[in-house]
Amino acid sequence: MPIPRRGRGTLLMAAVTGAVVTATIAVTGTANAATTLGASAAQTGRYFGAAIAAGRLGDSTYTRILNTEFNSVTPENEMKWDATEPSQGRFTYTNGDRILNQGLSNGSKVRGHALLWHNQEPGWAQSMSGTALRNAAINHVTQVATHYRGKIYAWDVVNEAFADGSSGGRRDSNLQRTGNDWIEAAFRAARAADPAAKLCYNDYNTDGVNAKSTGVYNMVRDFKSRGVPIDCVGFQSHLGTGIPGDYQANLQRFAALGVDVQITELDVAQGGNQANIYATVTRACLAVSRCTGITVWGIRDSDSWRTGENPLLFDNSGNKKAAYTSVLNALNAGGTTNPTTPPVTTPPVTTPPVTTPPVTTPPPSGAGCTATVSLNTWTGGYVATVRVTAGATALNGWTVTVPLPSGDVVTGAWSSTNSATTGNVAFRNVDYNGQVAAGASTEFGFQANGAGPSATPVCQAG
Ligand code: G2I
């Protein structure tokens, strides 16, 4: 059959300039024609990613699939606490940076995983507790998020902090024992360090409506109502041979809280239903406009942490499996368009010159209270731990005013609320630490950018 006139013209252009052809295909190729996972997901504004390991980047089959199929990467282990801060205060980013650069050089998004997790804590942190651990954890969040500032699409700020089973409550860990507010303290520190990254809470066994996912749901709702910075929830989706019937409804109820949802660690046991389950997950994400993308937890079956379960989209030799085709077809069938909302960008804080009013010192003893501050500093910032001690009379509420020099800005506080972030900052007790017996003490803390308090804090009872 002779080539129609128009077709001949197109072919001629193709022969003359390859660049034009590429653009033409991208525009005129129907929405259903993409042939890789990443490109297919991109048709609806989403990404399709993989967890990758720095140690495998020398494997040419692995990197070929990675560079061809995926437009997002997550470090499988390289940005975890044990990898990035193997001894306290000594940060190593070599392997994390390899993942980052692999992703960025391929035009991919990079999901950061994970700033705080009770698992894979470095040994030095495992043996810590209380205020020392809290300070170390917040410092870790600040340092790592600062190192990767502006380069990470979304951070798993806190990973797997909820208990399995019917309680719907928090998992016990040394981090949890530093106080229930450790999660919000971590999110605030992460926002301060990298305002452009979306901040996610990530967990497993939250893939349907159940006690655990409802516990997370209630936390997210609480965070949104109190202005704690959270942008997204990650659903790991390590699935067996079934999938909860309310998988999509569960994603939708989180999205309705005003957060993005992401499938962050998808893998599915190989069995009769593997391809169908993969397709069901994909369709659920596509049906929820705030579901921004899907990440599979590895590339080939042989790369998976689930040895022997063959849970991924490529076989040991790198061949596409039936599950791959079912995902690709589901992506190409389309769905809601993700608006790819840009992350919240906090405008730079312009600090007006602070004129410090003279401080009237409360009576040093008897009724009232005293406050002392200890600092854990690094270049440009610090974590302050403030000890509040009651005088001869029990306290029923307290306020500690900390004088900050010009330029210091509080970025987060725990076990207290602060009404301002600069100048003379008043920290007020929260529900559980306002009552302090005569002579007894309680502690709160805050994190700030700057050099540190310029004078002794002032404590007022009541
Ligand atoms: O456990 C599966 C995933 C559950 N959600 C959080 C993810 O971060 C987690 O990933 C897995 C990695 O896939 C494994 O590769 O996390 C494991 C650790 O809990 C990782 O395993 C560890 C081994 O336990 C270590 O022995 C090994 O040194 O991987 C390390 C690096 O290869």
Side-chain angles (χ1 to χ4, degrees):
M1 202 164 100
I3 300 169
R5 259 192 113 60
R6 231 171 123 232
R8 274 206 299 263
T10 307
L11 283 180
L12 186 62
M13 263 177 59
V16 172
T17 150
V20 171
V21 168
T22 312
T24 305
I25 289 170
V27 174
T28 59
T30 67
N32 298 330
T35 56
T36 68
L37 300 169
S40 302
Q43 294 172 143
T44 58
R46 295 179 172 82
Y47 63 84
F48 203 98
I52 60 171
R56 295 184 199 271
L57 292 177
D59 176 330
S60 59
T61 305
Y62 185 83
T63 49
R64 174 181 56 76
I65 300 172
L66 171 59
N67 288 330
T68 308
E69 292 288 344
F70 298 99
N71 56 6
S72 174
V73 295
T74 304
E76 190 174 353
N77 290 295
E78 292 78 354
M79 290 188 192
K80 291 173 180 174
W81 196 353
D82 60 350
T84 50
E85 196 180 358
S87 59
Q88 188 170 15
R90 187 173 66 81
F91 291 85
T92 55
Y93 296 114
T94 312
N95 284 330
D97 288 356
R98 288 178 71 192
I99 306 284
L100 178 87
N101 292 331
Q102 205 290 332
L104 295 183
S105 66
N106 195 39
S108 295
K109 287 182 159 61
V110 181
R111 291 195 81 262
H113 173 83
L115 291 171
L116 292 180
W117 184 22
H118 66 277
N119 208 342
Q120 285 178 288
E121 278 182 8
W124 60 267
Q126 288 173 29
S127 58
M128 288 175 83
S129 62
T131 304
L133 176 63
R134 172 67 70 93
N135 289 347
I138 297 300
N139 184 46
H140 178 76
V141 170
T142 299
Q143 297 297 321
V144 177
T146 299
H147 176 80
Y148 289 112
R149 181 186 178 99
K151 295 172 180 151
I152 298 290
Y153 161 68
W155 264 115
D156 291 331
V157 178
V158 169
N159 191 45
E160 302 178 11
F162 276 73
D164 290 316
S166 59
S167 79
R170 298 284 181 85
R171 170 194 297 278
D172 179 52
S173 71
N174 61 348
L175 288 165
Q176 181 61 30
R177 277 177 251 130
T178 69
N180 207 48
D181 58 348
W182 72 279
I183 297 182
E184 61 197 80
F187 274 80
R188 289 198 162 103
R191 176 70 98 230
D194 186 356
K198 295 196 182 218
L199 305 182
C200 303
Y201 175 80
N202 189 50
D203 215 326
Y204 68 92
N205 280 353
T206 51
D207 309 309
V209 177
N210 59 36
K212 185 174 180 180
S213 65
T214 299
V216 176
Y217 177 87
N218 289 336
M219 178 186 76
V220 174
R221 189 174 53 183
D222 170 53
F223 280 13
K224 294 299 277 185
S225 75
R226 291 189 294 114
V228 177
I230 185 167
D231 306 305
C232 38
V233 176
F235 298 83
Q236 294 185 9
S237 303
H238 295 294
L239 299 173
T241 52
I243 178 170
D246 51 11
Y247 187 91
Q248 181 182 318
N250 190 47
L251 296 181
Q252 188 65 62
R253 72 168 174 155
F254 278 85
L257 291 175
V259 288
D260 288 347
V261 295
Q262 302 170 0
I263 314 306
T264 51
E265 304 185 14
L266 180 61
D267 50 18
V268 183
Q270 180 151 300
N273 285 327
Q274 186 181 49
N276 285 339
I277 292 173
Y278 264 109
T280 302
V281 170
T282 306
R283 283 194 291 264
C285 180
L286 286 162
V288 176
S289 62
R290 289 202 74 150
C291 182
T292 60
I294 299 173
T295 297
V296 286
W297 204 244
I299 296 182
R300 299 163 300 195
D301 286 334
S302 50
D303 303 317
S304 172
W305 68 294
R306 295 171 71 173
T307 313
E309 290 192 83
N310 298 321
L312 293 173
L313 300 178
F314 295 85
D315 70 17
N316 295 353
S317 308
N319 300 312
K320 296 167 182 173
K321 295 166 56 178
Y324 170 94
T325 309
S326 75
V327 169
L328 188 70
N329 290 343
L331 290 171
N332 280 329
T336 61
T337 301
N338 178 259
T340 56
T341 38
V344 184
T345 45
T346 316
V349 182
T350 45
T351 318
V354 179
T355 43
T356 317
V359 173
T360 45
T361 319
S365 61
C369 52
T370 54
T372 54
V373 63
S374 59
L375 296 182
N376 178 7
T377 60
W378 59 88
T379 310
Y382 57 95
V383 166
T385 304
V386 185
R387 190 169 188 80
V388 179
T389 304
T393 310
L395 297 175
N396 186 15
W398 46 262
T399 300
V400 174
T401 303
V402 182
L404 298 183
S406 174
D408 276 27
V409 181
V410 174
T411 55
W414 55 93
S415 302
S416 66
T417 55
N418 54 308
S419 53
T421 55
T422 59
N424 283 323
V425 180
F427 294 88
R428 174 94 188 133
N429 67 275
V430 289
D431 285 351
Y432 57 82
N433 64 4
Q435 308 214 317
V436 185
S441 296
T442 187
E443 280 186 343
F444 72 92
F446 64 94
Q447 178 167 346
N449 297 324
S454 49
T456 315
V458 174
C459 189
Q460 276 188 307

